[in-house]
Amino acid sequence: IYKASSERGRTPEWLSTLCEHKNLLDENPCKRYADSLAKGNTQDLQEVCDGLGIESSSWVWNEAFLAYVQTVCDMNDKSFIKHLSGVLELVNGKGEIHLPEAIAIEATAFCIIRYSKSSNTAEHSSLRDTCVRKIGNPMLEQTKWDALVNHEPARQLVTSWLKQQLIKDFFELLAQDGAADVRRLNYWLKWEKHISEMWFYLGDMAFKDQRTAFADVRERMGGSIRQLVEPSRPENNAFVMRIGSYLVIEFSTKNNAMFIYQ
C-alpha cells in the first residue's frame, strides 16, 4: 500500500508512520518500544502514538509497557536492579506514561516475583511500598495476593520487609518525644519471623498528624491501624503482635511494662 501510494505521490502521513513502525503488525508488536523504554527513551513510543492517533488508553501503550517490564525482568540480577527504579516510577505514575491501574498492578507482580528470585533479596523500600500500595498488605490481604501475584515466596518476602519496617516505624517515629527506642527496636526485630499478625493503635496525635513521615507510616500500616482513645495521653500509641497463641502489647511511652495475653 505504501509503495503504491508513493508511486502516485500521495502518501498520507499516517501511512508513512505505520510503514516506519511496521513492527506493530508483527507477532511481537511492542518489543521495539520495550527496548527503547529500557534505555530511558519514551520518544519512539510517543512518536508512533502521535503519528497514528493512538490514545493513551490503547493496547499499544499497555503492551509496550508490559514488554518493557518483561525485558527488565529477563535481565541478570545486577541489570534488573539497575532498571527497577525506572519501572517503579512509571508504575507509580511519576513518568511520562500514565498506566491503567490493572497494568500497574500486573507490572508490580512481575517485579516482586523476579526480585524474590534474585540472589540478593535485601529490602527494597520502593518496591515494598509499591507492592503495599498497588496489591495490598500481604499480612492482611493474602487472598488478594494469591489472586494477583500467586507466588508465595514473593508474598513472604514483602511480609518480612513490611513487618521489619513497621517495627522500625513504631519504635523510631512513634516513640515518646520522637527519640528512637533502639533497645526495644532491636529486641523486636529479632522476633519478626515469629510475628504472624500486627495491629497499631494510634493515639490522637499520631492519628491526625499530617506531616509526610506520619502519612507514609499510616499508608504502610493500612488496615492494621486502630485508634487508641486515651484523652489524658494523646501522644501514646500501642503496638499489638500475635506470636503463636499469645498477644503481646507494647506502648510507645517509656517506663511501661510489656503486656502478654494468651
Side-chain angles (χ1 to χ4, degrees), residues 139-155:
M139 290 184 286
L140 303 176
E141 301 177 82
Q142 182 172 351
T143 302
K144 191 174 179 182
W145 270 78
D146 290 344
L148 297 175
V149 183
N150 192 27
H151 191 268
E152 186 60 15
R155 190 186 74 83

Side-chain angles (χ1 to χ4, degrees), residues 38-90:
K39 297 174 183 176
N41 175 22
T42 61
Q43 185 176 351
D44 205 21
L45 180 57
Q46 191 68 58
E47 181 183 277
V48 66
C49 288
D50 290 344
L52 296 178
I54 297 173
E55 298 290 338
S56 60
S57 58
S58 166
W59 65 269
V60 172
W61 285 95
N62 300 343
E63 286 293 323
F65 180 72
L66 289 179
Y68 160 52
V69 174
Q70 193 60 60
T71 297
V72 171
C73 289
D74 287 341
M75 295 176 177
N76 60 42
D77 286 356
K78 185 177 180 179
S79 297
F80 167 67
I81 298 300
K82 178 182 176 181
H83 287 84
L84 181 57
S85 59
V87 174
L88 296 178
E89 279 192 10
L90 295 176

Side-chain angles (χ1 to χ4, degrees), residues 33-42 61-62 64-75 78-101 103-115 124 126-131 133-134:
Y33 314 119
D35 294 340
S36 296
L37 289 170
K39 297 174 183 176
N41 175 22
T42 61
W61 285 95
N62 300 343
F65 180 72
L66 289 179
Y68 160 52
V69 174
Q70 193 60 60
T71 297
V72 171
C73 289
D74 287 341
M75 295 176 177
K78 185 177 180 179
S79 297
F80 167 67
I81 298 300
K82 178 182 176 181
H83 287 84
L84 181 57
S85 59
V87 174
L88 296 178
E89 279 192 10
L90 295 176
V91 164
N92 289 300
K94 297 179 180 178
E96 298 176 32
I97 301 174
H98 298 287
L99 304 168
E101 191 65 11
I103 299 299
I105 291 172
E106 189 173 355
T108 303
F110 282 158
C111 290
I112 188 56
I113 291 173
R114 171 64 181 85
Y115 196 94
H124 192 293
S126 180
L127 180 56
R128 177 201 64 216
D129 291 345
T130 300
C131 286
R133 190 179 302 116
K134 296 297 181 182

Side-chain angles (χ1 to χ4, degrees), residues 167-186 251-254:
I167 293 171
K168 292 175 184 177
D169 288 338
F170 186 81
F171 290 111
E172 291 179 347
L173 183 66
L174 302 178
Q176 187 178 29
D177 300 325
D181 194 334
V182 178
R183 181 182 61 84
R184 289 198 291 173
L185 166 61
N186 290 334
F251 289 94
S252 62
T253 52
K254 293 182 180 179

